[in-house]
Every structure is written in C-alpha cells, then in structure tokens.
Amino acid sequence: YKRDKESAYYIGMLTVKRTERSIELVDGQQRFTAMILLGIYFKWNNFLYVSTNPNILRLQFTAREEDKEYLEARIEGEECAFINEKMENGLNYISKHLKKILPNESYEDFKKYIFEKLTFFLSELPGNYSPMELNTYFERMNTSGKSLENYEILKVEIVRRLHTDKEKYTLLWNACGIMEKMMLRKH
C-alpha cells in the first residue's frame, strides 16, 4: 500500500471445487478467513454475505457450526457464547496493527485499497474429484511450497483487463504455455 497504491496486491491462489449449491474452498482457507476478518473489521457486509435475504455467509464451515455462529455474531456486533480464539486474535491483531501503522487521514484510503486491490487467483478443480482426491491435492499443494510464477501473475493481469472473450484468451494462453507441443510448423 505504501509503495504503490495503484497496483494489485496479490495474496496467492485459492483452490475451489464447484458443486450444485456452493463453491467449496479446497486450499486457501487461512487466506480467505483473513479476508473475512478484514471484512468484519472494515464492516463490509456486502462482501461478508453472499445473500442478505436470508443472510448467507460467504464463508461457511460445514463441520464447525460454532465458528459460523461466531462469525455471524462478530459481523452483527453481538455477543456469542463460543469464542474462536484464533479468529479473535486475528481481529485484535488487525485492529492494533492498523492503528499503529496508519495515520488517521490514510485509514479510508487503505480501506479502499484493500477492498479494490486485494487480488487472489481461483484454481477450479474438476467437479468429479472424490473427497480422497481433494485431500490428496490439498496435502501435495501444502507440502510443495510452490509460489506463483511471474508469468502466472502476468496472465491474470492481462485476462482481467479484457472485456470480452476472457475464457477464449485464457485457453489460448494456456495452450501457449505447453512447450512440448509445437504451435506453428516450419512449412
């Protein structure tokens, strides 16, 4: 933010699997939870909810109902019987850190920057992956330590600026990335 207020701020890849009713987050839960905590801190209810009639949180924990109730209570500014200490610590850290590094006059600029420039990539896995395959994918991605390459960032920047045919140009870009296959023949 302090170095360049106009460029996107990349936070990496979120891996998802689309179902009939939702988009399941396979990898990137910590980054997405951090975005939700920023949303709570900045009171971005239009980001925090997919729908407001009825209220449907953007981040759902299918196996952790208490965490869902905790997030809803924090969004609404209400008390909750259950406190997720890690999320609570995250909110406290956000609050203390932003107060420490931001003068009052730049607070709104920073808030706008985060809302408009925070950028992540979505990698969508095939819908027919079994829970075992999803778990294997998650484990392999989290032990490889592989970060995004510059050409991947360039691809997203170029495609993001297109107004039409995004899917066509993404496929073209991906085809160009296959170096084993010759695209143009000599004759």
Side-chain angles (χ1 to χ4, degrees), residues 137-163:
Y137 171 86
F138 176 81
E139 287 182 11
R140 286 193 181 141
M141 289 305 292
N142 283 294
T143 57
S144 69
K146 185 176 185 289
S147 59
L148 291 173
E149 298 289 337
N150 287 334
Y151 71 87
E152 294 169 309
I153 293 171
L154 177 63
K155 170 188 163 185
V156 170
E157 272 298 306
I158 291 171
V159 171
R160 184 174 66 86
R161 293 170 192 231
L162 294 172
H163 298 291

Side-chain angles (χ1 to χ4, degrees), residues 8-187:
Y9 182 77
Y10 298 100
I11 63 165
M13 180 93 60
L14 302 178
T15 305
V16 298
K17 177 188 172 197
R18 195 176 303 269
T19 68
E20 287 181 23
R21 296 181 26 221
S22 66
I23 298 175
E24 294 179 8
L25 190 56
V26 176
D27 188 26
Q29 184 176 351
Q30 288 174 330
R31 277 168 283 156
F32 198 78
T33 302
M35 286 188 281
I36 293 295
L37 295 177
L38 282 167
I40 291 170
Y41 179 78
F42 289 129
K43 299 182 181 2
W44 290 330
N45 287 2
N46 57 341
F47 168 73
L48 296 168
Y49 291 106
V50 175
S51 168
T52 54
N53 190 12
N55 282 349
I56 299 172
L57 282 175
R58 186 169 301 278
L59 179 61
Q60 299 282 325
F61 298 99
T62 51
R64 296 174 12 213
E65 185 64 29
E66 288 178 322
D67 286 332
K68 178 181 176 235
E69 291 171 9
Y70 166 79
L71 284 176
E72 287 178 321
R74 290 298 297 189
I75 291 167
E76 300 302 323
E78 300 171 353
E79 293 292 320
C80 184
F82 172 76
I83 305 274
N84 180 310
E85 287 188 31
K86 290 182 180 178
M87 288 188 206
E88 194 70 21
N89 289 340
L91 282 166
N92 289 333
Y93 179 81
I94 288 168
S95 175
K96 287 177 186 173
H97 188 68
L98 291 181
K99 287 176 183 168
K100 185 171 96 178
I101 66 166
L102 292 175
N104 287 339
E105 64 273 4
S106 67
Y107 176 83
E108 287 300 320
D109 284 343
F110 180 77
K111 180 178 170 181
K112 182 179 181 206
Y113 172 80
I114 292 294
F115 191 79
E116 293 177 356
K117 303 294 183 177
L118 192 67
T119 303
F120 55 90
F121 305 99
L122 280 183
S123 174
E124 190 171 331
L125 297 176
N128 60 353
Y129 268 32
S130 69
M132 178 70 82
E133 290 170 310
L134 292 172
N135 189 52
T136 301
Y137 171 86
F138 176 81
E139 287 182 11
R140 286 193 181 141
M141 289 305 292
N142 283 294
T143 57
S144 69
K146 185 176 185 289
S147 59
L148 291 173
E149 298 289 337
N150 287 334
Y151 71 87
E152 294 169 309
I153 293 171
L154 177 63
K155 170 188 163 185
V156 170
E157 272 298 306
I158 291 171
V159 171
R160 184 174 66 86
R161 293 170 192 231
L162 294 172
H163 298 291
T164 60
D165 298 326
K166 288 184 180 194
E167 188 173 330
K168 178 175 112 179
Y169 287 105
T170 299
L171 292 172
L172 179 62
W173 182 285
N174 291 342
C176 291
I178 302 170
M179 295 298 164
E180 298 83 32
K181 183 178 174 185
M182 186 179 268
M183 293 196 59
L184 300 173
R185 304 208 189 280
K186 289 182 181 179
H187 302 299

